[in-house]
Amino acid sequence: MKIGLIGLGIMGKPMAKNLLKAGYQLAVNDRNEASVAEVVAAGAAAATQAEIGGTCDVVLTMLPNSPQVREVMLGEDGVAAHMRPGSVFIDMSSINPVASKEIAAVLEAKGIDMLDAPVSGGEPKAVDGTLSFMVGGKQEVFDKFKDLLGAMGASVVRCGEVGAGNTTKLANQIIVACNIQALAEALTLAQKAGVDPQLVFEAIRGGLAGSTVMNAKAPMMIAGDEKPGFKIDLHIKDLNNALDCAHAVGAPVPMTAGVQEVLQWLHSQGEGQHDHSCIAHYYEKLADIQIGR
C-alpha cells in the first residue's frame, strides 16, 4: 500500500515520521521545502500533489482549515482529479464538518471513499505516536485503515459517518479551551492570594480537577513557556468552526463564545503564534501579575 501525505507542519511532520517507522511506503508534499527534505531524509519520497493523487492508494492531508483542504483536493488540477476509483482519502485536518461532508460527496461521485479523522494531543503526542483519532466514515473503510491511523495514534475511534470525526473534534476543542481558561483563572487566583501556583498544581493534579490539559499546560504557564504545541490562531480557527456548527444546529455554546473572545484579544496583541496556554497572559495582564514568577 502506497500512502501520500500532504501537509508537514507541526503535526504532519512527526506523523509522517511515525508512518515511516511503521514501515509504510510514503510520498510527501508541502510548501515548506525544509520540512519535505527532513521527512525525505527519514525515508519518504518527495512528490507533487498530482503524483500523489495518481500513484497512491491512500491520500492523507494534515492542513490548517477547510479552504486549504478543499483547494488541495478539489481545486483546479487538485489531487482528486488524479485519484483512481477505489482509492481512499483520509483528511486528518480539523475542519468544519459541513465541509467534510461536501468534499466526501464530490469524491463519492468519482468512486473515492473518504474518512474525516482529526486528531487530538498536540505536537508531543504527534511525536511519540500517541494521538487520539476521531473518525467519521463507512465502517468497512474505517476497519480497513484503522491500523494505518494506529501507526500515529494510541486511540482510533469511529464516531459515525463522514463529518462525525470533525464534530467530535470540535467538542474536544471546546473542552480543551475551556479547561485552559479555567486553569489560567485558578492559577491567577493563587498568585494574587500569595499561594505558590506550582504547589497548587501539585496539590490538585491528583484530584477531581486533575486532567491531561492541566498536566500539559500548568507547567507552561508557570514557566512562561510560549513555544506552541498548538497555536492560539489554530484554536481560534477551531472555535470559529465550533460556533458555526453550533449556530447551524441550534446548540447553546456560551462558554465557547467567551473563551473565543479571550483568544481573539490575544491574537490582536500579536500572540496568535504562541501556544494556547498563553490564555494565561490575558489574566496576567488584567491582574498585573506573572503566574509563578
Side-chain angles (χ1 to χ4, degrees), residues 111-139:
I112 300 165
D113 281 315
M114 175 179 168
L115 299 175
D116 65 310
V119 302
S120 177
E123 183 183 17
K125 290 185 178 293
V127 171
D128 63 22
T130 59
L131 291 165
S132 294
F133 281 87
M134 298 148 271
V135 188
K138 298 175 184 175
Q139 183 71 57

PDB file of all heavy atoms in Angstrom, residues 111-139:
ATOM      1  N   GLY A 111     -16.042   7.658  -7.183  1.00  0.00           N
ATOM      2  CA  GLY A 111     -15.697   6.317  -6.728  1.00  0.00           C
ATOM      3  C   GLY A 111     -14.611   6.279  -5.682  1.00  0.00           C
ATOM      4  O   GLY A 111     -13.915   5.269  -5.537  1.00  0.00           O
ATOM      5  N   ILE A 112     -14.458   7.381  -4.936  1.00  0.00           N
ATOM      6  CA  ILE A 112     -13.402   7.501  -3.924  1.00  0.00           C
ATOM      7  C   ILE A 112     -14.060   7.633  -2.550  1.00  0.00           C
ATOM      8  O   ILE A 112     -14.892   8.511  -2.337  1.00  0.00           O
ATOM      9  CB  ILE A 112     -12.513   8.730  -4.200  1.00  0.00           C
ATOM     10  CG1 ILE A 112     -11.847   8.614  -5.574  1.00  0.00           C
ATOM     11  CG2 ILE A 112     -11.463   8.904  -3.097  1.00  0.00           C
ATOM     12  CD1 ILE A 112     -11.250   9.922  -6.071  1.00  0.00           C
ATOM     13  N   ASP A 113     -13.685   6.774  -1.626  1.00  0.00           N
ATOM     14  CA  ASP A 113     -14.196   6.853  -0.264  1.00  0.00           C
ATOM     15  C   ASP A 113     -13.382   7.855   0.553  1.00  0.00           C
ATOM     16  O   ASP A 113     -12.206   8.103   0.269  1.00  0.00           O
ATOM     17  CB  ASP A 113     -14.133   5.481   0.426  1.00  0.00           C
ATOM     18  CG  ASP A 113     -15.264   4.564  -0.001  1.00  0.00           C
ATOM     19  OD1 ASP A 113     -16.411   5.038  -0.057  1.00  0.00           O
ATOM     20  OD2 ASP A 113     -14.990   3.380  -0.278  1.00  0.00           O
ATOM     21  N   MET A 114     -14.012   8.397   1.603  1.00  0.00           N
ATOM     22  CA  MET A 114     -13.350   9.373   2.468  1.00  0.00           C
ATOM     23  C   MET A 114     -13.618   9.071   3.932  1.00  0.00           C
ATOM     24  O   MET A 114     -14.712   8.644   4.304  1.00  0.00           O
ATOM     25  CB  MET A 114     -13.835  10.793   2.145  1.00  0.00           C
ATOM     26  CG  MET A 114     -13.297  11.859   3.078  1.00  0.00           C
ATOM     27  SD  MET A 114     -13.873  13.524   2.644  1.00  0.00           S
ATOM     28  CE  MET A 114     -13.365  14.440   4.120  1.00  0.00           C
ATOM     29  N   LEU A 115     -12.595   9.288   4.744  1.00  0.00           N
ATOM     30  CA  LEU A 115     -12.722   9.353   6.192  1.00  0.00           C
ATOM     31  C   LEU A 115     -12.302  10.737   6.654  1.00  0.00           C
ATOM     32  O   LEU A 115     -11.304  11.274   6.159  1.00  0.00           O
ATOM     33  CB  LEU A 115     -11.819   8.319   6.879  1.00  0.00           C
ATOM     34  CG  LEU A 115     -12.052   6.832   6.583  1.00  0.00           C
ATOM     35  CD1 LEU A 115     -10.974   6.009   7.266  1.00  0.00           C
ATOM     36  CD2 LEU A 115     -13.433   6.384   7.027  1.00  0.00           C
ATOM     37  N   ASP A 116     -13.070  11.348   7.560  1.00  0.00           N
ATOM     38  CA  ASP A 116     -12.549  12.534   8.244  1.00  0.00           C
ATOM     39  C   ASP A 116     -12.027  12.045   9.583  1.00  0.00           C
ATOM     40  O   ASP A 116     -12.737  11.384  10.344  1.00  0.00           O
ATOM     41  CB  ASP A 116     -13.592  13.656   8.372  1.00  0.00           C
ATOM     42  CG  ASP A 116     -14.787  13.307   9.241  1.00  0.00           C
ATOM     43  OD1 ASP A 116     -15.376  12.232   9.017  1.00  0.00           O
ATOM     44  OD2 ASP A 116     -15.146  14.113  10.120  1.00  0.00           O
ATOM     45  N   ALA A 117     -10.750  12.332   9.859  1.00  0.00           N
ATOM     46  CA  ALA A 117     -10.068  11.727  11.000  1.00  0.00           C
ATOM     47  C   ALA A 117      -9.187  12.737  11.724  1.00  0.00           C
ATOM     48  O   ALA A 117      -7.962  12.578  11.792  1.00  0.00           O
ATOM     49  CB  ALA A 117      -9.240  10.530  10.530  1.00  0.00           C
ATOM     50  N   PRO A 118      -9.780  13.801  12.278  1.00  0.00           N
ATOM     51  CA  PRO A 118      -8.974  14.779  13.010  1.00  0.00           C
ATOM     52  C   PRO A 118      -8.374  14.156  14.269  1.00  0.00           C
ATOM     53  O   PRO A 118      -8.826  13.096  14.737  1.00  0.00           O
ATOM     54  CB  PRO A 118      -9.986  15.875  13.359  1.00  0.00           C
ATOM     55  CG  PRO A 118     -11.312  15.173  13.382  1.00  0.00           C
ATOM     56  CD  PRO A 118     -11.217  14.129  12.307  1.00  0.00           C
ATOM     57  N   VAL A 119      -7.361  14.837  14.810  1.00  0.00           N
ATOM     58  CA  VAL A 119      -6.616  14.279  15.937  1.00  0.00           C
ATOM     59  C   VAL A 119      -6.619  15.235  17.121  1.00  0.00           C
ATOM     60  O   VAL A 119      -6.831  16.439  16.981  1.00  0.00           O
ATOM     61  CB  VAL A 119      -5.165  13.953  15.546  1.00  0.00           C
ATOM     62  CG1 VAL A 119      -5.132  12.984  14.381  1.00  0.00           C
ATOM     63  CG2 VAL A 119      -4.387  15.224  15.198  1.00  0.00           C
ATOM     64  N   SER A 120      -6.335  14.667  18.289  1.00  0.00           N
ATOM     65  CA  SER A 120      -6.113  15.455  19.492  1.00  0.00           C
ATOM     66  C   SER A 120      -4.837  14.969  20.159  1.00  0.00           C
ATOM     67  O   SER A 120      -4.505  13.781  20.087  1.00  0.00           O
ATOM     68  CB  SER A 120      -7.290  15.299  20.457  1.00  0.00           C
ATOM     69  OG  SER A 120      -7.052  16.004  21.662  1.00  0.00           O
ATOM     70  N   GLY A 121      -4.130  15.909  20.788  1.00  0.00           N
ATOM     71  CA  GLY A 121      -2.911  15.527  21.504  1.00  0.00           C
ATOM     72  C   GLY A 121      -1.769  16.492  21.305  1.00  0.00           C
ATOM     73  O   GLY A 121      -0.819  16.514  22.078  1.00  0.00           O
ATOM     74  N   GLY A 122      -1.840  17.320  20.242  1.00  0.00           N
ATOM     75  CA  GLY A 122      -0.805  18.304  20.019  1.00  0.00           C
ATOM     76  C   GLY A 122       0.518  17.692  19.599  1.00  0.00           C
ATOM     77  O   GLY A 122       0.646  16.482  19.398  1.00  0.00           O
ATOM     78  N   GLU A 123       1.520  18.550  19.476  1.00  0.00           N
ATOM     79  CA  GLU A 123       2.828  18.126  18.970  1.00  0.00           C
ATOM     80  C   GLU A 123       3.464  17.007  19.792  1.00  0.00           C
ATOM     81  O   GLU A 123       4.002  16.048  19.204  1.00  0.00           O
ATOM     82  CB  GLU A 123       3.772  19.329  18.897  1.00  0.00           C
ATOM     83  CG  GLU A 123       5.138  18.985  18.312  1.00  0.00           C
ATOM     84  CD  GLU A 123       6.078  20.167  18.306  1.00  0.00           C
ATOM     85  OE1 GLU A 123       5.820  21.152  19.029  1.00  0.00           O
ATOM     86  OE2 GLU A 123       7.099  20.100  17.590  1.00  0.00           O
ATOM     87  N   PRO A 124       3.440  17.064  21.142  1.00  0.00           N
ATOM     88  CA  PRO A 124       4.104  15.978  21.884  1.00  0.00           C
ATOM     89  C   PRO A 124       3.570  14.594  21.536  1.00  0.00           C
ATOM     90  O   PRO A 124       4.338  13.640  21.366  1.00  0.00           O
ATOM     91  CB  PRO A 124       3.831  16.343  23.353  1.00  0.00           C
ATOM     92  CG  PRO A 124       3.630  17.817  23.347  1.00  0.00           C
ATOM     93  CD  PRO A 124       2.920  18.107  22.052  1.00  0.00           C
ATOM     94  N   LYS A 125       2.252  14.467  21.414  1.00  0.00           N
ATOM     95  CA  LYS A 125       1.673  13.160  21.107  1.00  0.00           C
ATOM     96  C   LYS A 125       1.818  12.819  19.619  1.00  0.00           C
ATOM     97  O   LYS A 125       1.818  11.634  19.255  1.00  0.00           O
ATOM     98  CB  LYS A 125       0.223  13.108  21.562  1.00  0.00           C
ATOM     99  CG  LYS A 125       0.087  13.085  23.082  1.00  0.00           C
ATOM    100  CD  LYS A 125      -1.343  12.918  23.530  1.00  0.00           C
ATOM    101  CE  LYS A 125      -1.437  12.854  25.054  1.00  0.00           C
ATOM    102  NZ  LYS A 125      -0.807  11.633  25.604  1.00  0.00           N
ATOM    103  N   ALA A 126       1.950  13.836  18.763  1.00  0.00           N
ATOM    104  CA  ALA A 126       2.260  13.563  17.361  1.00  0.00           C
ATOM    105  C   ALA A 126       3.658  12.973  17.247  1.00  0.00           C
ATOM    106  O   ALA A 126       3.907  12.071  16.448  1.00  0.00           O
ATOM    107  CB  ALA A 126       2.148  14.841  16.532  1.00  0.00           C
ATOM    108  N   VAL A 127       4.569  13.470  18.061  1.00  0.00           N
ATOM    109  CA  VAL A 127       5.956  12.992  18.035  1.00  0.00           C
ATOM    110  C   VAL A 127       6.049  11.558  18.544  1.00  0.00           C
ATOM    111  O   VAL A 127       6.702  10.708  17.920  1.00  0.00           O
ATOM    112  CB  VAL A 127       6.868  13.923  18.873  1.00  0.00           C
ATOM    113  CG1 VAL A 127       8.259  13.315  19.036  1.00  0.00           C
ATOM    114  CG2 VAL A 127       6.972  15.295  18.211  1.00  0.00           C
ATOM    115  N   ASP A 128       5.389  11.269  19.677  1.00  0.00           N
ATOM    116  CA  ASP A 128       5.538   9.921  20.235  1.00  0.00           C
ATOM    117  C   ASP A 128       4.492   8.934  19.727  1.00  0.00           C
ATOM    118  O   ASP A 128       4.451   7.780  20.161  1.00  0.00           O
ATOM    119  CB  ASP A 128       5.577   9.949  21.760  1.00  0.00           C
ATOM    120  CG  ASP A 128       4.292  10.469  22.407  1.00  0.00           C
ATOM    121  OD1 ASP A 128       3.228  10.422  21.760  1.00  0.00           O
ATOM    122  OD2 ASP A 128       4.356  10.906  23.569  1.00  0.00           O
ATOM    123  N   GLY A 129       3.642   9.369  18.787  1.00  0.00           N
ATOM    124  CA  GLY A 129       2.701   8.451  18.143  1.00  0.00           C
ATOM    125  C   GLY A 129       1.550   8.015  19.009  1.00  0.00           C
ATOM    126  O   GLY A 129       1.023   6.913  18.841  1.00  0.00           O
ATOM    127  N   THR A 130       1.109   8.910  19.926  1.00  0.00           N
ATOM    128  CA  THR A 130       0.012   8.553  20.830  1.00  0.00           C
ATOM    129  C   THR A 130      -1.186   9.490  20.674  1.00  0.00           C
ATOM    130  O   THR A 130      -1.899   9.759  21.636  1.00  0.00           O
ATOM    131  CB  THR A 130       0.497   8.554  22.294  1.00  0.00           C
ATOM    132  OG1 THR A 130       1.010   9.852  22.634  1.00  0.00           O
ATOM    133  CG2 THR A 130       1.577   7.504  22.510  1.00  0.00           C
ATOM    134  N   LEU A 131      -1.399   9.988  19.473  1.00  0.00           N
ATOM    135  CA  LEU A 131      -2.543  10.852  19.206  1.00  0.00           C
ATOM    136  C   LEU A 131      -3.855  10.095  19.381  1.00  0.00           C
ATOM    137  O   LEU A 131      -3.896   8.864  19.338  1.00  0.00           O
ATOM    138  CB  LEU A 131      -2.459  11.398  17.775  1.00  0.00           C
ATOM    139  CG  LEU A 131      -1.337  12.395  17.489  1.00  0.00           C
ATOM    140  CD1 LEU A 131      -1.156  12.562  15.983  1.00  0.00           C
ATOM    141  CD2 LEU A 131      -1.611  13.739  18.150  1.00  0.00           C
ATOM    142  N   SER A 132      -4.924  10.867  19.570  1.00  0.00           N
ATOM    143  CA  SER A 132      -6.273  10.302  19.577  1.00  0.00           C
ATOM    144  C   SER A 132      -6.958  10.689  18.270  1.00  0.00           C
ATOM    145  O   SER A 132      -7.057  11.874  17.951  1.00  0.00           O
ATOM    146  CB  SER A 132      -7.079  10.842  20.761  1.00  0.00           C
ATOM    147  OG  SER A 132      -6.532  10.393  21.983  1.00  0.00           O
ATOM    148  N   PHE A 133      -7.407   9.695  17.519  1.00  0.00           N
ATOM    149  CA  PHE A 133      -8.106   9.921  16.253  1.00  0.00           C
ATOM    150  C   PHE A 133      -9.607   9.796  16.464  1.00  0.00           C
ATOM    151  O   PHE A 133     -10.079   8.825  17.071  1.00  0.00           O
ATOM    152  CB  PHE A 133      -7.672   8.901  15.202  1.00  0.00           C
ATOM    153  CG  PHE A 133      -6.357   9.209  14.549  1.00  0.00           C
ATOM    154  CD1 PHE A 133      -5.170   8.779  15.126  1.00  0.00           C
ATOM    155  CD2 PHE A 133      -6.297   9.936  13.372  1.00  0.00           C
ATOM    156  CE1 PHE A 133      -3.952   9.050  14.528  1.00  0.00           C
ATOM    157  CE2 PHE A 133      -5.091  10.223  12.763  1.00  0.00           C
ATOM    158  CZ  PHE A 133      -3.908   9.773  13.344  1.00  0.00           C
ATOM    159  N   MET A 134     -10.352  10.783  15.952  1.00  0.00           N
ATOM    160  CA  MET A 134     -11.813  10.769  15.955  1.00  0.00           C
ATOM    161  C   MET A 134     -12.258  10.660  14.505  1.00  0.00           C
ATOM    162  O   MET A 134     -12.007  11.574  13.723  1.00  0.00           O
ATOM    163  CB  MET A 134     -12.326  12.073  16.590  1.00  0.00           C
ATOM    164  CG  MET A 134     -11.902  12.236  18.039  1.00  0.00           C
ATOM    165  SD  MET A 134     -11.651  13.959  18.556  1.00  0.00           S
ATOM    166  CE  MET A 134      -9.919  14.163  18.139  1.00  0.00           C
ATOM    167  N   VAL A 135     -12.887   9.576  14.133  1.00  0.00           N
ATOM    168  CA  VAL A 135     -13.044   9.248  12.722  1.00  0.00           C
ATOM    169  C   VAL A 135     -14.510   9.187  12.318  1.00  0.00           C
ATOM    170  O   VAL A 135     -15.346   8.629  13.035  1.00  0.00           O
ATOM    171  CB  VAL A 135     -12.365   7.892  12.409  1.00  0.00           C
ATOM    172  CG1 VAL A 135     -12.353   7.650  10.895  1.00  0.00           C
ATOM    173  CG2 VAL A 135     -10.944   7.854  12.973  1.00  0.00           C
ATOM    174  N   GLY A 136     -14.807   9.730  11.145  1.00  0.00           N
ATOM    175  CA  GLY A 136     -16.110   9.606  10.524  1.00  0.00           C
ATOM    176  C   GLY A 136     -15.986   8.936   9.170  1.00  0.00           C
ATOM    177  O   GLY A 136     -15.038   9.200   8.427  1.00  0.00           O
ATOM    178  N   GLY A 137     -16.924   8.065   8.841  1.00  0.00           N
ATOM    179  CA  GLY A 137     -16.894   7.391   7.544  1.00  0.00           C
ATOM    180  C   GLY A 137     -17.522   6.015   7.614  1.00  0.00           C
ATOM    181  O   GLY A 137     -17.984   5.571   8.677  1.00  0.00           O
ATOM    182  N   LYS A 138     -17.542   5.316   6.506  1.00  0.00           N
ATOM    183  CA  LYS A 138     -18.137   3.985   6.439  1.00  0.00           C
ATOM    184  C   LYS A 138     -17.374   3.015   7.339  1.00  0.00           C
ATOM    185  O   LYS A 138     -16.144   3.061   7.413  1.00  0.00           O
ATOM    186  CB  LYS A 138     -18.121   3.466   5.003  1.00  0.00           C
ATOM    187  CG  LYS A 138     -18.932   4.292   4.016  1.00  0.00           C
ATOM    188  CD  LYS A 138     -18.741   3.759   2.593  1.00  0.00           C
ATOM    189  CE  LYS A 138     -19.469   4.627   1.574  1.00  0.00           C
ATOM    190  NZ  LYS A 138     -19.185   4.180   0.188  1.00  0.00           N
ATOM    191  N   GLN A 139     -18.100   2.125   7.982  1.00  0.00           N
ATOM    192  CA  GLN A 139     -17.487   1.160   8.895  1.00  0.00           C
ATOM    193  C   GLN A 139     -16.422   0.328   8.186  1.00  0.00           C
ATOM    194  O   GLN A 139     -15.329   0.106   8.726  1.00  0.00           O
ATOM    195  CB  GLN A 139     -18.557   0.243   9.485  1.00  0.00           C
ATOM    196  CG  GLN A 139     -18.024  -0.764  10.501  1.00  0.00           C
ATOM    197  CD  GLN A 139     -17.597  -0.134  11.804  1.00  0.00           C
ATOM    198  OE1 GLN A 139     -18.395   0.535  12.460  1.00  0.00           O
ATOM    199  NE2 GLN A 139     -16.345  -0.337  12.202  1.00  0.00           N
TER     200      GLN A 139
END
